[in-house]
Amino acid sequence: METNPLAPDNHGPTVCIGEILVEIVATDVGTGFLDAQPLVGPYPSGAPAIFIAQCGRIGGSAAMIGAVGNDDFGRVNLDRLLRDDVDISAISIDPEYPTGSAFVRYRPDGSRDFVFNIAKSAAARFSWTDAVEKLIERSGHLHIMGSALSMPSAVEVIDRAVAIIKLRGGTISVDPNIRKELKLDGATERRFANLISMADLLLPSGEELERAAGVEGEEAAIRRLFELGVKEIVLKRGADGASYFSHERERIDVPAFDVREVDPTGAGDCFGGAYLACRRLGMPPEQALTYGAAAGARNVTMRGPMEGAGSREELELFISSIGRRG
């Protein structure tokens, strides 16, 4: 029988640590930004922020650690997180550096060109503060994006937060968010492997499953991850749906919803935020998978990386009215 390895939601909020950005999107399809072109935005963004916004919006207790600038882009993000019931008490406001940004343009084949400002922005300039410590000491779950491991400020906070939350009996989820071709330095590789081994929930997309396991082949990778100590795996398959795997060798597959894609950015983060929140609220895997798939699909129907993030009521309406693929 399936057991839920995730701490009940009343053991404290789910916390996400990492970059908070605005996203500005080109309205026409093409290559790069060498010519003047129409843009829309700013949209609140950053993978950790998208994840935690969906977590809060669906009804999970949620909080964010990061930093924004003392500017309109920062206020766009703070206002949105507050509206989605996310605790922003541990988000710092940098008086000198601007809020991080990402300019995005889609190519005809669906790939994207980006112009980022993260490393030289407030997004990369947060640290362990009294507010962060107070939040972590009452938190029940920590969600970690692999991309955050490239930010020294995030690494310091993640390391301390993991130790405190695990000591309190809390739980951890990891979205690898690192392609298998990407080579990390030795210290980051060891930190990544250690986080994987401590994960109560792993949320990879496609090839990230093999990247996290260090072996090739889906079946072999899943077997290896459970040997390492992972408790629960949800493999996000995009248009092919998603699959749940438990340590007890249970497998559940759900198809994707059949929607017209407008903007795929943030779909996986919305899926993860909805799935985790539902599991922490006590839902069984299949129900949580359905909400996760609905959250990801609904999000791609709107322009902006978290504009389609849905409340529980909105997702239930979506589930009842939209057909499945396959």
Side-chain angles (χ1 to χ4, degrees):
M1 180 172 176
E2 180 271 334
T3 58
N4 189 341
L6 303 173
D9 199 56
N10 60 8
H11 283 190
T14 294
V15 177
C16 203
I17 299 169
E19 68 274 15
I20 303 172
L21 317 172
V22 291
E23 190 163 302
I24 297 169
V25 186
T27 59
D28 64 343
V29 174
T31 302
F33 291 94
L34 295 177
D35 300 309
Q37 58 196 274
L39 305 168
V40 292
Y43 296 112
S45 187
I50 299 167
F51 177 98
I52 206 65
Q54 177 61 85
C55 181
R57 189 159 178 76
I58 202 172
S61 180
M64 181 74 195
I65 297 172
V68 296
N70 186 20
D71 51 35
D72 284 351
F73 289 171
R75 285 182 277 280
V76 163
N77 275 285
L78 295 179
D79 289 348
R80 176 54 186 266
L81 291 171
L82 278 174
R83 192 163 71 246
D84 289 340
D85 293 323
V86 176
D87 181 342
I88 64 169
S89 62
I91 296 177
S92 60
I93 299 177
D94 193 301
E96 299 178 2
Y97 280 62
T99 300
S101 61
F103 288 76
V104 185
R105 191 183 192 191
Y106 287 92
R107 295 180 176 184
D109 64 0
S111 61
R112 295 170 288 180
D113 290 314
F114 287 96
V115 177
F116 284 112
N117 177 27
I118 298 177
K120 301 298 183 181
S121 76
R125 284 170 51 87
F126 60 93
S127 60
W128 191 268
T129 63
D130 289 343
V132 169
E133 185 164 4
K134 288 177 182 177
L135 173 61
I136 293 299
E137 285 180 345
R138 61 182 177 84
S139 299
H141 185 91
L142 177 65
H143 180 71
I144 301 163
M145 298 278 185
S147 57
L149 300 182
S150 64
M151 301 167 59
S153 58
V155 167
E156 176 196 354
V157 177
I158 288 170
D159 285 351
R160 294 181 68 171
V162 166
I164 293 171
I165 288 177
K166 277 294 188 179
L167 186 63
R168 292 183 62 242
T171 48
I172 291 175
S173 55
V174 177
D175 184 331
N177 205 18
I178 299 176
R179 297 190 310 273
K180 64 181 180 181
E181 295 86 0
L182 183 62
K183 302 298 182 183
L184 305 177
D185 63 72
T188 305
E189 284 283 6
R190 289 189 293 274
R191 179 175 281 107
F192 179 63
N194 188 49
L195 287 171
I196 295 296
S197 70
M198 291 191 293
D200 297 278
L201 168 65
L202 189 66
L203 286 160
S205 296
E207 65 186 13
E208 293 172 355
L209 178 77
E210 297 176 1
R211 177 70 173 82
V215 299
E216 295 185 357
E218 182 175 307
E219 186 176 341
I222 290 168
R223 184 169 57 250
R224 177 59 178 156
L225 287 165
F226 285 135
E227 290 171 353
L228 291 172
V230 177
K231 306 295 191 303
E232 179 172 309
I233 301 169
V234 172
L235 179 59
K236 296 172 285 183
R237 302 182 188 273
D240 293 323
S243 300
Y244 160 91
F245 303 91
S246 76
H247 202 274
E248 293 86 2
R249 300 184 182 277
E250 181 182 7
R251 172 173 177 162
I252 300 170
D253 298 299
V254 297
F257 289 87
D258 192 9
V259 295
R260 185 178 73 86
E261 183 180 282
V262 174
D263 184 353
T265 301
D269 303 318
C270 282
F271 178 108
Y275 177 84
L276 174 66
C278 288
R279 289 293 276 151
R280 293 206 71 215
L281 288 165
M283 293 185 194
E286 187 167 7
Q287 186 179 12
L289 280 174
T290 299
Y291 277 110
R298 187 177 189 272
N299 199 55
V300 308
T301 65
M302 303 182 193
R303 193 184 302 277
M306 64 172 84
E307 298 312 297
S311 66
R312 185 166 177 175
E313 293 74 19
E314 288 168 336
L315 293 178
E316 286 171 351
L317 177 61
F318 182 91
I319 291 166
S320 66
S321 60
I322 304 296
R324 301 290 192 104
R325 293 182 184 270

